[in-house]
Amino acid sequence: MDLNRIKQILSSSADIEVKYNGVSVWIDKVNEDGKTATVHLRGPNQFEERSNAEISQLIEE
């Protein structure tokens, strides 16, 4: 995925599914480096663990 699409997803009110390493995630924000984003898992434990993901490794479903 590219940076512009990440920004579109963040500003959208739609529920857009994004996967990181085959797992469904929510994108929290784009990091200052412009190459990574902070994400967390979708689901019941969604706010427990946040990760930094390479934007290029995020896949829109």
Side-chain angles (χ1 to χ4, degrees):
M1 195 175 303
D2 66 33
L3 181 59
N4 288 331
R5 184 60 185 142
I6 297 284
K7 289 179 179 179
Q8 290 172 349
I9 290 170
L10 285 170
S11 65
S12 174
S13 61
D15 182 6
I16 301 168
E17 185 172 3
V18 175
K19 289 195 175 180
Y20 175 59
N21 291 334
V23 178
S24 206
V25 295
W26 287 106
I27 302 169
D28 296 315
K29 66 176 184 171
V30 173
N31 297 324
E32 291 181 19
D33 63 11
K35 296 179 182 177
T36 60
T38 301
V39 300
H40 67 269
L41 299 175
R42 288 182 178 235
N45 299 323
Q46 61 184 322
F47 294 109
E48 290 184 13
E49 184 177 336
R50 286 185 164 49
S51 301
N52 287 323
E54 293 285 329
I55 288 174
S56 62
Q57 294 180 1
L58 296 173
I59 299 170
E60 183 177 355
E61 292 289 309

